[in-house]
Amino acid sequence: ASGLPAAQYQSWEQQFSQGFDPRAFQMLRMTPTEREKMLKGMRETGQLDIFKKNYNTMAAAGLVPSGR
């Protein structure tokens, strides 16, 4: 249904999956206090840089607002 040939779709899906982070959508529904707690937890576990990269990729694709 995507209109892409199978090989191109598989490549697109793999690239999308690598940069997609559902936590970005969760974050949009959180209060500022909840967001800070989530980010602090990511910082402590070493996940923050990966999350930032994924969030920025999603923002560039128009899936989430930039600058949050």
Side-chain angles (χ1 to χ4, degrees):
S2 71
L4 295 174
Q8 282 182 323
Y9 177 77
Q10 288 174 338
S11 176
W12 174 87
E13 182 181 35
Q14 182 180 17
Q15 191 174 27
F16 176 81
S17 295
Q18 289 174 350
F20 179 79
D21 194 329
R23 296 177 295 185
F25 294 117
Q26 291 173 311
M27 185 179 217
L28 297 174
R29 300 179 60 87
M30 293 178 172
T31 66
T33 302
E34 291 170 330
R35 280 194 296 268
E36 184 56 39
K37 183 178 178 182
M38 181 178 133
L39 293 172
K40 182 180 179 195
M42 285 187 217
R43 192 175 299 113
E44 291 171 355
T45 60
Q47 298 175 22
L48 186 59
D49 289 337
I50 293 168
F51 176 75
K52 283 181 180 180
K53 180 180 177 258
N54 289 342
Y55 188 96
N56 289 334
T57 298
M58 291 174 68
L63 298 173
V64 294
S66 62
R68 279 207 173 221

